[in-house]
Amino acid sequence: MAATRVFDVIVVGTGAGGGTAMKILCEAGLSVCAINSGPRTEPARDYKLHRQVYDLKYRGYGNPMRLEGKAHQEPYSVEESEYSENSDIFEHDVAYSNAPGTDWYWKRCKGTGGKANFWGRSSARFGDIDFKAAGLDGFGENWPVEYAEIAPWSTKAERYMGVASTVQNRPSNPDGEYLTPMPWRCIEYIIQKGAEKIGVPYLPDRCAQLTVAHDGHPACHYCGNCSRGCDVGSFFSPTWFTIPQAEATKNLTLLTNALVRSVLVDEDGKARGVAYIDRTTKREVELYSKVVVLAASCVETAHIMLNSKSRHWPTGIANSSGQLGRNLSEHLYGCPGYGYLPQLRGQPARPDNIADSTVAWMPRWQNLKNPHEEKFIRGYSVYMGGGCGEFPGHYSQLEGFGSEFKRNIKRYYPTPVGALIQAPTLPSSENYVDIDPRKKDIFGIPQLRFHFQWGTNELLMWEHSKQVMIDLFKAMDAELWGMDDEPNRPGTSLHETGVCRFGNDPKKYVTNKWAQTHDVPNLYICDASIFPSSTDKTTTMPIVAFTMRTCDHLLENFKKGTHSRV
Ligand SMILES: Cc1cc2nc3c(=O)[nH]c(=O)nc-3n(C[C@H](O)[C@H](O)[C@H](O)COP(=O)(O)OP(=O)(O)OC[C@H]3O[C@@H](n4cnc5c(N)ncnc54)[C@H](O)[C@@H]3O)c2cc1C
Ligand code: SF4
């Protein structure tokens, strides 16, 4: 094993959380080594977004044989396609396992910047309705923070990232500081009118997409290709924001193709660095630091910690509570209704998928006055999509062939409309990750194993949303073509939480309210694994906000002498 130099801080992962942490710590003058499991993401090489599908050999789907021989052969959707072929930024070498009856779909981007290169940019704030949900409805655990304490960090994150929206005064969605909202299309106004009739809000989403130039980043030119990565950096991504800023300080050492296997400990059980596999040589390397920050993206952070066994931590580092890997939560996704708007049939078909995202949504409207108003507790949100997408998915609803069929597809082009439910799962003792006792990946690292089933509460929300869509389609004078029979596979949302939950009691929680592990004071976590429960909102902006707050605390600990510099 080769030994290397010692850093003030090692940050594992360069995505939304890790990228933010390394930028802040580098700018504060610390020597930081950021470790990334895959290669550097290079927009000029890895994003081929402005080409049309008919210019690509496999019409955008990619070579069907491209994953042959890989340990994990399942293709990922939108973001991984022919547009990213030959770039090797998605993880297919490291396999994981599912316990019998579990069907978890684990998408990973191993390129620098992680999934935050391709994210959907929905960026609502969490509020007290989320932090104090357990107190309101009696289920689970409150978060160890209050909105008043977190609000300034959300503001800081929004100002940094650039989030477009409007002030809305909704009880479930605290307002923030916003850039000019996205322009609405005709379809949004039709949905809003219908939603109003059935008492459901339909409002601009909080979208981290630059409607105006922001802090040196150019305004969006609405090419609509965001999920393939933005070639000009007009939405927050580590590749365009945090990584170049951290590098500009000259305090950053960035290791790529380095897959962290475990956190190393000293004779007192404190973190002293990490062990990683150099993918190019397949050799294990040790790297040392005074502080370790894990930001490998929720379940992978738990994977590394569960694999960090020592005489001090026989069940994984910082796991005296036994909660490491437990409380796995996520969003139930699925389409509770899709169809078309006959009033738009025959209207000119213009490319209006301006953001490759939903510019408006239905923020949670259930159980606001009374937490037990509905058959389920908490609440869900809905994203509506539609209009002239790049590909006319509605072709499968129409009959015919030849030129008449093509004309018909064109006539329906502006009409399709569909919904996506975002329903939080409740933490359950049945839902967790652990280490598969039998399986190792190709690098010899014991694999992560998922145990997960949908619970009754989220399935009740799913059924509820189907009725809402039946009512909405009627109210919009729309035709309903159908709805999904089943929700999407667990893992699809990429908003998993809970596996290193934070809280004040070291017997019940993995980290304290600052995301510093209770057991190992020089080990911090900067991703969604600390969030004890899932909400009706997405996780990325909150990851950035909480990471900013954690790094502030970490720097304070350096100043106070709790951590010493190299
Ligand atoms: C298509 C799509 C749409 C999305 N839409 C939204 C949305 O609208 N709103 C929202 O809030 N979120 C959305 N998300 C989710 C969002 O991308 C994640 O919440 C966010 O990226 C999580 O940040 P992270 O830093 O935890 O993980 P990531 O951004 O995935 O970064 C993880 C990093 O860790 C590295 N890493 C992993 N394992 C190891 C290891 N063992 N050793 C070393 N390095 C490692 C990876 O290489 C990567 O750099 C979406 C994601 C996708 C792909
Ligand atoms: S729509 Fe805007 S943010 Fe999205 S890829 Fe195009 S320029 Fe970038």
Side-chain angles (χ1 to χ4, degrees):
M1 268 185 216
T4 44
R5 84 178 242 223
V6 184
F7 294 87
D8 289 328
V9 184
I10 288 175
V11 177
V12 178
T14 62
T20 303
M22 72 198 205
K23 167 196 141 55
I24 294 171
L25 301 176
C26 283
E27 286 177 348
L30 300 185
S31 64
V32 176
C33 180
I35 310 188
N36 193 77
S37 56
R40 190 179 262 273
T41 302
E42 301 277 8
R45 180 196 60 203
D46 299 326
Y47 308 161
K48 307 179 186 81
L49 70 179
H50 287 304
R51 292 164 66 187
Q52 296 298 324
V53 286
Y54 48 74
D55 290 329
L56 301 172
K57 184 168 176 194
Y58 298 99
R59 299 295 183 263
Y61 290 102
N63 183 347
M65 306 305 285
R66 70 187 184 281
L67 299 177
E68 219 186 4
K70 293 281 183 187
H72 177 243
Q73 298 192 358
E74 244 184 317
Y76 305 144
S77 53
V78 219
E79 57 284 12
E80 184 192 34
S81 64
E82 205 165 346
Y83 286 87
S84 57
E85 217 154 79
N86 306 321
S87 64
D88 195 32
I89 53 176
F90 294 94
E91 183 63 84
H92 289 288
D93 298 324
V94 178
Y96 64 95
S97 73
N98 274 322
T102 294
D103 185 26
W104 190 275
Y105 177 42
W106 191 20
K107 283 197 215 181
R108 290 153 292 164
C109 173
K110 66 181 178 184
T112 51
K115 298 185 297 291
N117 289 313
F118 307 103
W119 66 304
R121 308 164 307 287
S122 184
S123 298
R125 287 182 178 209
F126 294 162
D128 276 336
I129 195 165
D130 307 305
F131 301 148
K132 298 180 180 175
L136 292 169
D137 57 36
F139 182 88
E141 313 283 338
N142 279 339
W143 294 35
V145 293
E146 299 205 338
Y147 181 65
E149 186 186 341
I150 298 308
W153 296 102
S154 300
T155 304
K156 219 171 163 182
E158 284 163 358
R159 280 188 192 152
Y160 177 63
M161 300 165 78
V163 179
S165 192
T166 54
V167 170
Q168 299 166 358
N169 296 313
R170 299 271 321 155
S172 60
N173 292 80
D175 290 303
E177 287 194 10
Y178 299 120
L179 309 179
T180 320
M182 297 262 184
W184 275 21
R185 302 165 301 174
C186 185
I187 201 169
E188 267 86 42
Y189 291 104
I190 297 173
I191 297 170
Q192 190 182 46
K193 237 179 166 177
E196 217 170 68
K197 284 191 201 156
I198 62 165
V200 170
Y202 189 64
L203 296 163
D205 190 9
R206 284 63 160 94
C207 193
Q209 192 158 333
L210 305 183
T211 48
V212 292
H214 177 71
D215 214 7
H217 306 283
C220 169
H221 56 260
Y222 301 113
C223 65
N225 277 310
C226 320
S227 297
R228 295 172 185 151
C230 183
D231 62 343
V232 292
S234 290
F235 68 79
F236 168 78
S237 76
T239 296
W240 290 105
F241 283 60
T242 53
I243 296 173
Q245 288 168 350
E247 284 183 320
T249 65
K250 310 268 187 255
N251 291 326
L252 180 73
T253 303
L254 176 58
L255 292 186
T256 53
N257 288 311
L259 184 68
V260 171
R261 171 201 181 97
S262 60
V263 178
L264 301 167
V265 292
D266 61 16
E267 59 282 6
D268 301 321
K270 292 215 193 90
R272 72 180 177 109
V274 299
Y276 70 86
I277 310 291
D278 180 331
R279 286 198 199 232
T280 43
T281 62
K282 307 248 184 336
R283 288 182 57 211
E284 187 164 317
V285 181
E286 291 193 353
L287 194 65
Y288 306 114
S289 63
K290 297 292 185 179
V291 167
V292 172
V293 173
L294 293 178
S297 200
C298 196
V299 281
E300 178 60 12
T301 286
H303 184 202
I304 294 168
M305 290 172 73
L306 288 163
N307 270 334
S308 306
K309 290 184 186 153
S310 60
R311 82 185 148 81
H312 302 92
W313 312 114
T315 63
I317 193 165
N319 191 25
S320 67
S321 66
Q323 292 298 317
L324 182 59
R326 315 297 303 189
N327 313 298
L328 175 62
S329 299
E330 96 117 346
H331 280 143
L332 176 148
Y333 267 20
C335 173
Y338 61 94
Y340 75 102
L341 296 161
Q343 58 271 49
L344 295 182
R345 199 167 34 193
Q347 294 289 317
R350 296 197 185 88
D352 67 355
N353 59 337
I354 50 172
D356 186 22
S357 174
T358 51
V359 297
W361 72 330
M362 295 171 175
R364 170 179 164 184
W365 69 94
Q366 322 88 31
N367 290 331
L368 295 183
K369 285 203 189 101
N370 168 359
H372 296 286
E373 222 164 70
E374 301 286 354
K375 287 189 193 137
F376 52 84
I377 56 168
R378 317 269 159 107
Y380 65 88
S381 52
V382 173
Y383 296 102
M384 299 295 296
C388 301
E390 190 178 43
F391 183 74
H394 59 276
Y395 81 94
S396 58
Q397 302 297 327
L398 306 175
E399 289 186 352
F401 61 91
S403 50
E404 178 50 32
F405 183 47
K406 282 189 194 161
R407 267 197 297 277
N408 216 15
I409 287 177
K410 209 162 178 193
R411 271 186 350 114
Y412 279 82
Y413 224 109
T415 69
V417 61
L420 177 73
I421 180 180
Q422 177 163 274
T425 68
L426 293 177
S428 149
S429 58
E430 310 291 302
N431 293 341
Y432 60 98
V433 289
D434 63 4
I435 299 297
D436 192 309
R438 283 177 302 279
K439 295 185 184 159
K440 290 188 174 172
D441 65 30
I442 58 165
F443 302 107
I445 302 176
Q447 286 182 19
L448 189 65
R449 180 171 60 176
F450 290 86
H451 306 252
F452 191 91
Q453 302 296 329
W454 299 124
T456 310
N457 200 62
E458 49 267 21
L459 289 172
L460 283 169
M461 291 186 193
W462 169 234
E463 291 308 318
H464 187 270
S465 69
K466 290 182 186 172
Q467 187 54 52
V468 171
M469 284 304 129
I470 291 170
D471 297 343
L472 176 71
F473 273 66
K474 233 185 246 160
M476 295 190 298
D477 295 321
E479 295 287 332
L480 194 62
W481 271 326
M483 53 188 65
D484 285 352
D485 295 333
E486 302 277 333
N488 297 163
R489 296 168 65 191
T492 302
S493 80
L494 299 168
H495 302 144
E496 64 277 5
T497 59
V499 288
C500 306
R501 67 179 188 181
F502 67 172
N504 295 325
D505 183 351
K507 292 200 185 74
K508 289 173 65 183
Y509 303 95
V510 179
T511 83
N512 64 19
K513 63 185 261 184
W514 307 105
Q516 178 183 24
T517 61
H518 281 294
D519 295 337
V520 181
N522 64 342
L523 178 64
Y524 293 79
I525 295 177
C526 287
D527 57 35
S529 61
I530 60 166
F531 301 153
S533 48
S534 182
T535 76
D536 48 291
K537 296 120 191 155
T538 59
T539 47
T540 308
M541 190 283 284
I543 291 174
V544 173
F546 276 89
T547 294
M548 288 173 159
R549 175 174 167 273
T550 294
C551 288
D552 198 54
H553 182 70
L554 191 162
L555 288 169
E556 200 49 44
N557 279 340
F558 266 106
K559 267 190 219 139
K560 282 196 315 211
T562 311
H563 309 312
S564 55
R565 295 201 51 190
V566 173

